[in-house]
């Protein structure tokens, strides 16, 4: 059956070895007029090199301040089926494990209520349903909560849907239970997720180790990254097996063949703190000098493992560039045990939020508020003590804001006494 | 009870949150949670995780578009039912992972995936170029400078040999954001593709007072570039174009301030960022190319520039060096020389703290 | 106390020039109340239908239910 709109430009995206979203949507188009018109508007954008969507302020279902983003096509005359094309964000199960049963149910639920197009997943982690009309929102939400036991994700000035790496479910390096931490925070702060109260968005992300597979350090206002503070566990026999070429180095990431492996060249000499030594028989690590960069563990995973006194480093303030420039998260808690019910961590979170809500300007991410009001103020508000692990270097400008409380007499001079010592 | 549009509060369920994370775990994951001992990549896209209990979980990773239909999800479900007992997951980079606990089904799954044309490419592990994370672009966003899905498709087609192989010095993470808001934060990627507007919004003075609320538009601008202004009898606004950073907030508040411009908009490329703490510390991506025109449907200049950067890195990078590590070792002057990219005014920072990026040593290469 | 706070917030909203207000604008109407507490009061106002949300997708604002959406041309479509 011929489709309604000719699409010669985007048809070019059906060619090539990578999966084609155009072929996928074209398959849908004969049975869903929204897909048909969506192909049409994409073709128009490809012709004109401009997008055709307008924003709408619709936010969600009754009582929710987030989870839905309004979208309207600016050419409803040409593409009436997508005149309204709102987004629905659904909070994904942490680290995105599914059964086919739940996915099929989700597809069945979405099919009659919108375009049948999705993002698996959005950048923050949500399941994204792309393209529906306002009248479908409440029934969709009802079915989602009743039949799937699922709920909407975050948008706007809410806590955004938290996400973690797959952690202990399938990774031997996970130092913390990222999935449980993320689930616990998501449940504890449901109100913040669904109803806005912050100056701007707030994101939690948790990675199980310093490899940081969910990019917590670049993308979350509060990054929870697994680490350890004791010794790397060494299986000397396996180290020797790597050295002898009996095991595939780097778990096969650099080529799956077994190969000659020079431990000195590939591990010892690359160690950023030079805290290792290999005498041909045994590997020695000076753990007190190790900064846990993971390289040796990644390259010899069957010989080396993170320690057992595990916890997390907490960093805050990452964000994309607008407005004050991109920031990565900065260390504020070098080490914290992360065990349920995470009370110590939550106390920190609530102090942090109180401070940000009181002091943050509208549309200011936490990192920007800290930049404007200083890390010192943040640390004071959250009852944290300065630690060299919080900085790359101490300051090198001399503009120190000394606390008047620590100067004898504060900011007051004894003018009379001064003039007794000095003539005017 | 069924949904009643006239009584939304009836039976209403709210704030139940997501399903608990372990609800959809395959039994082998439930049984071995926290007990995994090591993993190995058997071939590109195929992993085995071995538990202290001796259990082995096989994973087959495939690339997928981020924008996928329910038809595609159902097809993936058919495969997971047939080979994986109905268990699968998605990665943070839009890849799909089939979780195989019965080893005898591993090869049949791989063969089946390979028999289905270009729908399910296997790869994305180890020192590969895995899937590109990206934003909505022309598909669904109201302030994009470029498309997202189409650029990603064109780039991945060209770099496809690197998706299903491990021949690079380290993994290469590519990300795309269709405007500076970066709702998919791309600022710490090995290679970042960024949509850029080069013209501030224009003002439809005859529409502003009808469709916009002027105090809100003024307040929406993060750099305070917008002021109220009377234009003849019309209440309108004026924009200090020099302060515009192209975020589109004003357009969100006021549709009489369109920002998109087919000829003005385009792509900037950034290189050398990373998020992992492995070997070197996390790094921001730095500007490689300030502007490439939009060239739908296949963006040849963008694609070729990225390919050139990847090829130079593949040839010159040492084992374990990320793109940023490679550039730091050879120096930016060599990077521009090797890639043939032109170094221009735009590359020299002129925003806040710009001097932190200027060269303050006589150490450089001729 | 909560009823008093509610009426002060509503009075404040109704006397503003802007149709949409941020959460911390609303809090200015009840300066003695902690923001976490104010959030609960504002939630109630939304649940009672006295206020409604408006979202740019990235930030959220509050408005009176009688106000239209951002784009008055869209009014017919909402």
């Amino acid at each position: 059956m011929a489709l309604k709109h000719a699409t010669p430009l985007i048809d070019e995206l059906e060619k090539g070895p990578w999966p084609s979203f155009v072929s996928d949507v074209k398959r849908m188009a004969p049975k869903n007029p929204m897909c048909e018109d969506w192909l049409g508007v994409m073709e128009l954008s490809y012709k004109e090199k401009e997008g055709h969507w307008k924003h709408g302020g619709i936010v969600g279902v009754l009582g929710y301040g987030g989870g839905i983003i309004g979208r309207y096509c600016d050419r409803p005359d040409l593409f009436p089926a997508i005149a309204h094309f709102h987004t629905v964000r659904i909070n994904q199960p942490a680290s995105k494990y599914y059964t086919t049963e739940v996915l099929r149910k989700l597809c069945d639920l979405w099919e009659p209520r919108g375009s049948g197009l999705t993002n698996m997943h959005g950048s923050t982690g949500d399941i994204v349903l792309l393209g529906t009309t306002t009248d479908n929102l409440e029934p969709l939400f009802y079915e989602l909560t009743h039949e799937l036991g699922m709920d909407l994700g975050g948008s706007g000035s809410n806590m955004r849907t938290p996400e973690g790496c797959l952690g202990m479910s399938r990774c031997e390096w996970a130092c913390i239970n990222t999935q449980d931490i993320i689930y616990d925070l998501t449940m504890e702060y449901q109100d913040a997720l669904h109803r806005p109260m912050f100056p701007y968005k707030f994101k939690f992300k948790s990675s199980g180790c310093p490899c940081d597979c969910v990019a917590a350090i670049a993308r979350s206002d509060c990054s929870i990254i697994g680490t350890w503070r004791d010794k790397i566990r060494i299986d000397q026999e396996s180290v020797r097996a790597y050295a002898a070429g009996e095991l595939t180095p780097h778990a096969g990431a650099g080529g799956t063949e077994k190969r000659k492996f020079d431990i000195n060249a590939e591990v010892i000499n690359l160690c950023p703190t030079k805290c290792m030594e290999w005498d041909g028989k045994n590997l020695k690590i000076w753990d007190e000098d190790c900064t846990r960069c993971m390289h040796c563990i990644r390259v010899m995973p069957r010989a080396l493992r993170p320690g057992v006194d595990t916890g997390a480093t907490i960093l805050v303030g990452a964000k994309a560039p607008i407005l004050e420039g991109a920031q990565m998260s900065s260390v504020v808690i070098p080490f914290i045990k992360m065990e349920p019910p995470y009370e110590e961590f939550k106390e920190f979170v609530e102090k942090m939020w109180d401070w940000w809500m009181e002091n943050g300007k509208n549309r200011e991410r936490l990192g920007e508020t800290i930049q404007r009001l200083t890390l010192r103020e943040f640390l004071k508000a959250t009852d944290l003590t300065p630690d060299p692990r919080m900085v790359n270097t101490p300051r090198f400008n001399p503009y120190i804001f000394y606390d008047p409380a620590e100067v004898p007499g504060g900011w007051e001079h004894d003018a009379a006494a001064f003039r007794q010592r000095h003539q005017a | 009870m069924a949904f009643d549009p006239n009584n939304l509060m009836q039976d209403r369920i709210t704030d139940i949150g997501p399903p608990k994370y372990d609800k959809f775990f395959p039994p082998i994951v439930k049984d071995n949670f926290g007990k995994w001992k090591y993993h190995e990549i058997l071939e590109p896209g195929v992993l085995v995780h071995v538990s202290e209990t001796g259990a082995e979980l096989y994973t087959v990773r495939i690339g997928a578009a981020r924008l996928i239909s329910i038809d595609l999800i159902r097809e993936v479900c058919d495969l997971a039912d047939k080979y994986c007992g109905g268990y699968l997951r998605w990665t943070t980079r839009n890849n799909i992972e089939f979780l195989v606990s019965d080893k005898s089904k591993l090869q049949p799954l791989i063969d089946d995936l390979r028999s289905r044309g270009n729908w399910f490419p296997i790869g994305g592990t180890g020192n590969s170029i895995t899937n590109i994370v990206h934003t909505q672009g022309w598909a669904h966003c109201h302030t994009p400078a470029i498309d997202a899905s189409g650029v990603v498709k064109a780039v991945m087609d060209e770099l496809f040999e690197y998706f299903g192989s491990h021949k690079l010095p380290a993994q290469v993470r590519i990300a795309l954001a269709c405007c500076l808001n970066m709702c998919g934060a791309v600022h710490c990627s090995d290679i970042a593709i960024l949509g850029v507007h080069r013209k501030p919004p224009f003002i439809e003075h005859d529409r502003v007072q009808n469709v916009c609320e002027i105090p809100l538009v003024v307040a929406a601008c993060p750099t305070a570039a917008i002021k109220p202004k009377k234009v003849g009898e019309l209440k309108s606004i004026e924009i200090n174009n020099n302060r515009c950073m192209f975020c589109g907030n004003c357009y969100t508040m006021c549709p009489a301030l369109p920002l998109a411009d087919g000829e003005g908009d385009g792509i900037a490329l950034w290189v050398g960022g990373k998020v992992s703490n492995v070997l070197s510390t996390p790094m921001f991506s730095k500007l490689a190319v300030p502007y490439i025109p939009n060239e739908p449907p296949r963006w040849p200049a963008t694609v070729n520039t990225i390919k050139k950067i990847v090829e130079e890195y593949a040839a010159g990078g040492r084992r374990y060096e990320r793109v940023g590590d490679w550039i730091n070792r050879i120096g930016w002057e060599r990077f521009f020389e090797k890639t043939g990219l032109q170094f221009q005014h735009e590359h020299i920072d002129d925003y806040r703290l710009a001097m932190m990026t200027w060269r303050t040593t006589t150490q450089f290469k001729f | 106390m909560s009823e008093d706070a509610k009426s002060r917030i509503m009075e404040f909203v109704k006397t503003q020039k802007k149709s949409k207000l941020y959460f911390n604008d609303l809090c200015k109407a009840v300066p003695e109340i902690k923001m976490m507490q104010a959030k609960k009061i504002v939630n109630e106002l939304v649940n009672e239908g006295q206020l409604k949300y408006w979202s740019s997708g990235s930030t959220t604002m509050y408005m009176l239910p009688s106000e239209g959406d951002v784009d008055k041309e869209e009014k017919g479509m909402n």
Side-chain angles (χ1 to χ4, degrees):
Chain A
M1 191 175 82
L3 294 174
K4 191 167 139 193
H5 309 285
T7 55
L9 288 171
I10 60 171
D11 287 352
E12 290 297 311
L13 294 170
E14 293 198 84
K15 298 170 184 167
W18 189 252
S20 169
F21 67 100
V22 175
S23 303
D24 187 15
V25 182
K26 274 180 141 177
R27 213 165 50 162
M28 292 283 292
K31 53 190 178 189
N32 189 317
M34 287 179 121
C35 290
E36 205 167 34
D37 272 355
W38 182 85
L39 288 166
V41 80
M42 280 296 272
E43 180 71 15
L44 186 63
S45 283
Y46 269 61
K47 196 170 139 204
E48 297 170 345
K49 301 190 270 189
E50 288 168 5
H52 281 282
W53 299 102
K54 290 198 290 186
H55 179 72
I58 190 166
V59 293
V61 295
L62 187 66
Y64 273 27
I68 313 282
I69 320 270
R71 278 289 173 271
Y72 302 93
C73 183
D74 72 7
R75 293 307 303 269
D77 54 330
L78 301 175
F79 312 109
I82 53 169
H84 298 209
F85 205 66
H86 307 321
T87 306
V88 181
R89 290 182 180 166
I90 302 172
N91 195 332
Q92 80 290 358
S95 65
K96 307 179 177 99
Y97 281 86
Y98 297 99
T99 58
T100 52
E101 188 194 352
V102 72
L103 284 174
R104 286 182 200 282
K105 272 195 198 166
L106 186 66
C107 292
D108 293 347
L109 186 155
W110 179 223
E111 187 162 29
R113 300 232 169 260
S115 70
L117 303 181
T118 75
N119 288 147
M120 295 294 280
H121 297 71
S123 303
T124 300
D126 298 286
I127 300 167
V128 176
L129 306 182
L130 279 181
T132 189
T133 52
T134 309
D135 54 319
N136 274 307
L137 295 174
E138 284 293 346
L140 194 61
F141 179 69
Y142 185 93
E143 288 155 12
L144 199 62
T145 48
H146 284 77
E147 288 164 35
L148 279 177
M150 289 193 180
D151 202 343
L152 297 184
S155 64
S157 317
N158 299 25
M159 178 179 89
R160 298 303 183 84
T161 306
E163 179 58 312
C165 72
L166 54 63
M168 294 179 170
S169 72
R170 206 197 57 193
C171 182
E172 64 271 29
W173 299 328
C175 296
I176 48 174
N177 189 345
T178 54
Q179 291 167 301
D180 194 61
I181 292 165
I182 290 303
Y183 180 70
D184 192 287
L185 292 174
T186 309
M187 297 311 289
E188 175 89 26
Y189 298 119
Q190 278 289 295
D191 190 55
L193 179 64
H194 296 305
R195 294 165 202 91
M197 62 173 174
F198 297 135
Y200 204 12
K201 62 183 88 166
F202 189 95
K203 299 186 181 185
F204 282 112
K205 288 189 192 294
S206 179
S207 286
C209 83
C211 293
D212 196 4
C213 288
V214 287
I217 215 164
R219 307 191 49 187
S220 56
D221 300 272
C222 182
S223 325
I224 306 157
I225 301 181
T227 193
W228 68 95
R229 54 183 177 181
D230 55 343
K231 291 173 181 298
I232 290 176
R233 286 175 282 169
I234 310 177
D235 171 357
Q236 297 287 357
E237 215 162 294
S238 297
V239 179
R240 289 187 281 270
Y242 278 110
E246 291 159 15
L247 294 172
T248 311
H250 205 187
T256 49
E257 74 287 358
K258 291 190 177 63
R259 61 178 171 84
K260 194 175 164 305
F261 179 64
D262 179 347
I263 289 193
N264 278 316
E266 295 199 28
V267 181
I268 309 292
N269 298 343
L270 293 180
C271 172
T273 59
K274 304 284 178 282
C275 70
M276 318 179 83
E277 205 175 272
W278 166 244
D279 65 6
K281 285 193 192 109
N282 283 296
L283 180 71
K284 164 85 184 140
I285 301 177
W286 284 268
D287 287 276
E288 65 275 22
D289 288 333
C290 170
T291 50
R292 303 167 312 287
C293 87
M294 297 296 293
H295 176 68
C296 58
I297 296 175
R298 275 162 47 100
V299 173
M300 302 191 290
R302 294 175 73 162
L304 303 179
R305 306 174 74 182
V308 291
D309 181 12
T310 56
T313 299
I314 308 299
L315 308 92
V316 298
K319 54 176 285 293
I322 288 185
L323 172 69
E324 291 288 338
Q327 280 177 245
M328 285 189 238
S329 280
S330 305
V331 174
V332 290
I333 304 180
F335 188 87
I336 182 173
K337 280 281 180 190
M338 288 297 278
E339 279 152 12
Y342 314 108
E343 268 164 13
E344 191 189 348
F345 178 69
K346 285 177 195 164
E347 276 170 30
F348 160 73
V349 166
E350 284 158 32
K351 284 178 206 161
M352 166 169 70
W353 282 351
D354 273 337
W355 181 78
W356 184 45
M357 286 167 72
E358 296 286 343
N359 294 285
K361 292 182 184 172
N362 291 319
R363 301 185 66 88
E364 188 175 65
R365 292 281 288 267
L366 175 67
E368 290 166 320
T369 311
I370 296 175
Q371 201 184 111
R372 182 167 56 82
L373 297 178
T374 74
L375 187 56
R376 174 202 286 217
E377 290 303 314
F378 178 85
L379 296 176
K380 278 205 269 187
T382 49
D383 296 317
L384 295 170
T385 319
D387 187 300
R389 294 165 191 86
M390 294 173 182
V391 296
N392 289 327
T393 72
R395 72 193 307 144
F396 50 90
N397 66 62
Y399 307 121
I400 307 169
F401 292 100
Y402 290 104
D403 185 347
E406 285 170 16
V407 183
W411 284 349
E412 299 305 315
H413 291 259
D414 184 341
F418 182 87
R419 281 296 159 225
Q420 277 195 345
R421 298 192 298 273
H422 306 266
Q423 290 183 1
Chain B
M1 208 161 318
F3 174 71
D4 177 0
N6 298 313
N7 185 4
L8 296 180
M9 293 316 289
Q10 172 182 286
D11 254 355
R12 192 171 186 82
I13 299 177
T14 68
D15 299 272
I16 54 171
K20 189 155 182 250
Y21 56 92
D22 58 1
K23 190 172 174 193
F24 306 128
F25 279 172
I28 187 173
V29 167
K30 262 186 192 147
D31 294 345
N32 294 283
F33 191 89
K35 296 181 197 158
W36 298 104
K37 199 171 170 204
Y38 67 90
H39 75 280
E40 202 157 300
I41 306 173
L42 301 174
E43 58 184 277
V46 183
L47 304 108
V48 60
H49 286 81
V50 181
S51 164
E52 281 162 359
T53 66
E56 293 183 347
L57 171 64
Y58 295 87
T59 300
V60 180
R61 184 179 294 173
I62 59 160
R66 181 174 99 139
L67 176 69
I68 60 176
S69 74
I70 51 174
D71 273 9
L72 188 79
I73 296 173
R74 285 171 175 149
E75 197 177 336
V76 168
C77 286
D78 290 341
L79 285 157
D81 280 337
K82 193 164 173 193
Y83 302 102
C84 309
Y87 295 100
L88 70 162
R89 68 176 294 270
W90 264 260
T91 72
T92 51
R93 302 190 73 89
N94 312 121
N95 293 313
I96 301 170
E97 292 188 336
F98 293 99
L99 304 169
V100 184
S101 36
D102 175 356
K103 193 180 178 182
S104 70
K105 295 198 172 152
L106 180 63
Q107 196 56 45
L109 168 63
I110 293 170
D111 295 340
D112 194 338
L113 290 167
R114 287 196 176 128
S115 73
R116 295 179 186 228
N118 71 349
W119 289 101
F120 304 117
I122 299 172
T125 52
N127 295 348
S128 67
I129 295 182
T130 187
N131 211 339
I132 299 177
V133 288
H134 65 89
T135 57
Q136 300 290 18
W138 293 334
H140 206 219
C141 179
H142 71 300
T143 58
I146 58 174
D147 187 33
S149 306
V151 181
V152 165
K153 160 76 174 146
V155 172
M156 284 310 287
D157 277 339
E158 190 64 32
L159 300 178
F160 190 71
E161 58 170 312
Y162 296 105
F163 177 75
S165 67
H166 289 168
K167 56 188 177 185
L168 291 165
Q171 72 267 40
V172 173
R173 299 283 185 256
I174 307 180
L176 178 147
C178 52
C179 79
L180 260 62
N181 287 310
M182 294 193 194
C183 64
V186 302
H187 53 281
C188 296
S189 307
D190 291 284
I191 299 175
I193 306 165
L194 179 65
V196 290
H197 298 286
R198 295 187 303 170
K199 296 185 189 188
F202 70 95
I203 307 165
E204 296 175 296
H205 292 296
D206 53 338
R207 284 183 75 219
V208 169
Q209 70 177 25
N210 293 326
V211 300
C212 316
E213 207 174 307
I214 290 170
L216 286 174
V217 183
V218 169
C221 179
T223 64
I226 301 179
K227 281 194 216 149
K229 187 192 179 185
K230 253 197 143 179
V231 178
E233 284 307 297
L234 299 166
K235 278 189 230 159
S236 187
I237 54 127
E238 66 177 340
I239 300 177
N240 179 348
N241 286 338
N242 292 321
R243 298 181 78 156
C244 178
M245 55 197 343
F246 309 101
C247 68
N249 284 350
C250 57
Y251 178 62
T252 302
M253 283 288 175
C254 175
L257 301 172
L259 179 64
D261 185 275
E263 299 314 309
D265 301 342
I267 285 175
L269 293 178
W270 307 72
V271 298
K274 70 192 272 270
V275 293
S276 103
N277 289 279
V278 175
L279 290 175
S280 54
T281 55
M283 292 186 264
F284 288 118
S285 313
K286 281 92 174 178
L287 184 65
V289 185
Y291 181 76
I292 302 174
N294 254 331
E295 296 175 316
R298 296 205 60 106
W299 282 269
T302 299
V303 167
N304 290 334
T305 308
I306 292 172
K307 178 133 202 212
K308 176 74 178 157
I309 294 168
V310 169
E311 283 174 344
E312 286 302 325
Y313 162 69
R318 292 181 185 162
R319 192 190 290 274
Y320 306 119
E321 269 181 349
R322 295 284 292 265
V323 170
D325 300 322
W326 164 63
I327 297 172
N328 282 346
R329 177 171 55 79
I330 64 171
W332 284 97
E333 54 273 47
R334 284 283 181 277
F335 169 81
F336 283 96
E337 191 180 292
K338 281 178 185 294
T339 53
L341 298 174
Q342 211 190 340
F343 188 82
Q344 302 164 228
H345 280 299
E346 290 87 342
H347 288 98
I348 302 179
D349 196 352
D350 50 15
Y351 198 61
R352 290 168 204 164
L353 303 177
M355 64 287 184
M356 303 297 284
T357 64
W358 302 340
R359 186 97 63 160
T360 52
T361 167
T362 55
Q363 294 188 19
F364 49 79
K365 296 175 185 174
F366 287 111
Chain C
M1 169 189 116
S2 162
E3 287 307 314
D4 166 62
K6 277 192 206 168
S7 60
R8 276 191 287 149
I9 291 172
M10 291 311 298
E11 198 50 41
F12 179 79
V13 174
K14 285 172 190 161
T15 54
Q16 293 302 299
K17 276 188 190 151
K18 291 183 282 189
S19 71
K20 300 179 190 71
L21 298 168
Y22 287 106
F23 175 67
N24 67 5
D25 294 330
L26 302 183
C27 290
K28 286 176 199 152
V30 286
E32 79 288 1
I33 297 178
K34 275 249 167 206
M35 289 175 105
M36 287 283 190
Q37 193 57 37
K39 160 87 182 302
K40 290 179 187 145
I41 297 168
V42 172
N43 281 354
E44 281 179 36
L45 287 168
V46 172
N47 286 336
E48 290 164 9
Q50 297 203 57
L51 287 176
K52 70 173 183 181
Y53 297 114
W54 182 91
S55 173
S56 77
S58 62
T59 52
T60 316
M61 303 175 87
Y62 294 80
M63 63 199 294
L64 295 169
S66 52
E67 294 287 343
D69 198 356
V70 59
D71 187 348
K72 292 177 188 167
E73 291 173 354
E74 296 288 358
K75 246 184 178 169
M77 300 171 71
N78 291 330

